[in-house]
Amino acid sequence: MRKTLWPHLRPYSRWIALGVACSAMEAIFELLIPLVMSDIVDVGIANADQAYVTQKGILMVVMAMVSLCFGLGGAACSAIAGQGFGANLRAAQYEHIQEFAFSNIEKFSTASLVTRLTNDVNNMQMTLMMGMRLLVRAPVMLVAALFLSIRISYRLSNVFLVALPLLIVVVALILTKASPLFRSLQEKTDALNLVVQENLTGIRVVKSFVQEDYEREKFARRNNDLRATSQKAFGMVVINMPVMMLIIYGTIIAVMWFGGQMVYAGTLEAGKLLTYFTYITQIMISLMMVSMIFMMMTRSVACAKRIVEVLREVPAITNDAAVTEQDENGKLVPATVRDGSIDFDHVSFKYDSASPEWILRDVNLHIRSGQTVGILGGTGSAKTTLVSLIPRLYEATEGTVRVGGRPVKDYTMEHLRDAVSVVLQKNTLFSGTIRENLLWGNPNATEEQLWDACRSACADEFLERMPDGLDTDLGQGGVNVSGGQKQRLCIARAILKQPRVLILDDSTSAVDTATDAKIRQAFATELKDTTKIIIAQRVTSICQADLILVMDGGRVVAQGTHEELMKTSDIYREVYTAQQEGVSIGG
């Protein structure tokens, strides 16, 4: 775990060292002040020497100011190191998550990853900030105060032989009980975040089905679980304080009893006893600080393990097998997709290698570059899974998928996915303007190119009615546009890439048939050389395609043109007839 986290902490090692030095010096100056105070009582006041008292008083003020300066320096250094460490951890996790395949993200869940990026990192950086100060200040004060108190009175220091073991036992017991509870606490936080995320993301569905009460009950259950676990975890921590105070005040009473007798007997000066009380307080406060830091570290260790799990997760899909080729200047560069031809060579797939169930089974296909391919099949026939293998959103379990004549593993994911544009079943737009979302397709697109893409996707029809046009703010997730408008904007974004392969996964389901026909016509004229793969439920959306695939049970059970399939495929013919009858009835 230390090897994984240290690289993110190393850039701030100098700040940590400087902060530790400042905290140590702050503690040392604080410890010297009681000695000066003892001299004032035993020498200055005892001898009625005003000049001596003034001199020592000024020295105390100077020492306090120096201690304050070191304290401020330590606080500044700990803040820089802690916040920097936290920022590095968040950045490292976020960058690593970007490399995850879908299977990696599904392993953790989105809500858990958000918690690890925020809550867990916050706990670690707070522990570092507090630890830099307290883990230095407390031991220095503890050891130095013990040494100085023993120097004042060896006999009186025997009180610590009882107090210290008691404190150590109490802290050890509490830490043993609290450690597993903090791990559980973070898991309960994940569960609560999942409910909140689902509710807010699907708030329209919740309201349309009038399920607010059900969602409230689900939230209440998770919230109560988190509260109960928090009470157990922090209840153990809270016990630490009264037990510590009991031991501290017991120690003070014992020192007062035995020290008072020594002062009365003349074996200990009153000023020394007063100084001794100061050191006792510092020793006990130091022990309280140490125990508090250990409590924080217990939770921080639980958070660190969760963060390390993310950082050590090996992406299921990597660029390790990518090859290079020579460019026109003879320089070796990553292989690029030359054309939009696609081949499936005995491809099979399942999400979990241990699962006995295959999602795709022995798929063999050849799609020529520039062809328009339609895919038809019932729910669960693995249409989306099939096209997801082309840009390597998932990896084929068996067989080989080729794009542009090369196995997809020969390309880096950046080059492959830059050549394959996908409009997924679930359309996603991001907060910001329409222009900012469209520029994902081509960051250098001109105003004319943006509007051309919008016209091809029939998005210009509603954009021209918007006062701000392309600069209209979409809101979070594109809530300011309808489902059909969102689909057309996503298609326009994909067109802007001018990809070798364009995949539309039921991406025109929310538009009317006339608009669907216009979009398909635009594809035929604007993207002649692009291979177009269209998954659709409406036969009319794909009947003009060069090749139509009929899928059932994870297999391609038929392929051909519309006319060929009407003669050879019972499934295709039944779907077409049923839809035509539905149109006739509707008309």
Side-chain angles (χ1 to χ4, degrees), residues 36-237:
V36 179
M37 183 178 66
S38 175
D39 289 339
I40 290 174
V41 174
D42 293 336
V43 179
I45 295 177
N47 298 326
D49 189 343
Q50 181 63 44
Y52 185 86
V53 171
T54 302
Q55 180 186 357
K56 291 295 183 179
I58 293 172
L59 179 60
M60 284 182 66
V61 171
V62 172
M63 293 171 71
M65 294 301 296
V66 172
S67 178
L68 175 63
C69 291
F70 278 120
L72 292 173
C77 292
S78 64
I80 292 171
Q83 296 297 329
F85 176 52
N88 284 354
L89 273 185
R90 279 189 291 271
Q93 284 190 91
Y94 189 81
E95 289 173 10
H96 193 55
I97 289 170
Q98 301 310 302
E99 300 174 1
F100 282 3
F102 288 169
S103 57
N104 297 111
I105 295 174
E106 289 159 3
K107 174 182 175 180
F108 290 101
S109 86
T110 304
S112 179
L113 290 172
V114 170
T115 305
R116 294 170 198 241
L117 274 164
T118 53
N119 188 279
D120 289 358
V121 171
N122 289 341
N123 281 321
M124 288 198 65
Q125 70 182 27
M126 184 59 66
T127 301
L128 176 62
M129 290 169 61
M130 298 291 289
M132 277 181 61
R133 302 206 64 202
L134 299 186
L135 276 180
V136 176
R137 176 186 172 85
V140 169
M141 291 190 71
L142 178 63
V143 173
L146 271 173
F147 172 77
L148 293 171
S149 59
I150 291 172
R151 184 182 171 195
I152 292 171
S153 175
Y154 178 78
R155 286 177 55 199
L156 202 54
S157 299
N158 289 330
V159 173
F160 294 125
L161 295 177
V162 178
L164 289 178
L166 279 174
L167 287 170
I168 293 171
V169 169
V170 168
V171 172
L173 287 174
I174 293 174
L175 290 177
T176 302
K177 296 289 184 181
S179 182
L181 291 174
F182 282 124
R183 176 77 184 190
S184 179
L185 177 64
Q186 298 307 111
E187 292 172 354
K188 298 294 183 184
T189 304
D190 288 347
L192 181 66
N193 285 346
L194 178 61
V195 171
V196 174
Q197 179 189 10
E198 287 180 340
N199 180 273
L200 296 179
T201 303
I203 191 65
R204 295 186 178 187
V205 178
V206 172
K207 290 186 178 296
S208 64
F209 280 89
V210 197
Q211 290 296 308
E212 290 91 343
D213 290 340
Y214 173 76
E215 286 295 309
R216 288 191 193 99
E217 290 174 6
K218 187 164 69 171
F219 176 84
R221 285 196 302 271
R222 300 288 176 88
N223 195 32
N224 288 334
D225 286 345
L226 178 59
R227 175 183 55 79
T229 306
S230 299
Q231 285 177 341
K232 290 179 182 178
F234 290 106
M236 296 298 302
V237 175

Side-chain angles (χ1 to χ4, degrees), residues 482-504:
S482 68
Q485 291 172 340
K486 188 184 294 186
Q487 283 190 335
R488 283 178 274 179
L489 288 173
C490 289
I491 292 171
R493 182 172 63 188
I495 291 173
L496 275 168
K497 283 183 72 174
Q498 291 294 305
R500 302 287 188 186
V501 179
L502 174 63
I503 299 172
L504 301 176

Side-chain angles (χ1 to χ4, degrees), residues 322-348:
V323 299
T324 57
E325 59 186 10
Q326 287 187 341
D327 63 8
E328 56 188 13
N329 298 318
K331 183 180 178 182
L332 288 178
V333 295
T336 56
V337 180
R338 300 297 185 187
D339 58 55
S341 62
I342 300 169
D343 293 279
F344 282 73
D345 185 7
H346 296 285
V347 172
S348 297

Side-chain angles (χ1 to χ4, degrees), residues 230-289:
S230 299
Q231 285 177 341
K232 290 179 182 178
F234 290 106
M236 296 298 302
V237 175
V238 170
I239 290 173
N240 178 62
M241 186 60 67
V243 173
M244 294 283 286
M245 295 307 297
L246 178 64
I247 296 172
I248 288 172
Y249 286 126
T251 304
I252 291 174
I253 291 171
V255 169
M256 289 177 66
W257 176 262
F258 294 112
Q261 290 181 349
M262 293 171 69
V263 171
Y264 183 75
T267 57
L268 183 67
E269 296 173 335
K272 292 291 191 293
L273 181 61
L274 183 61
T275 303
Y276 202 92
F277 278 127
T278 303
Y279 286 140
I280 287 176
T281 304
Q282 289 177 333
I283 289 169
M284 295 305 172
I285 290 175
S286 298
L287 288 169
M288 288 177 63
M289 285 192 232

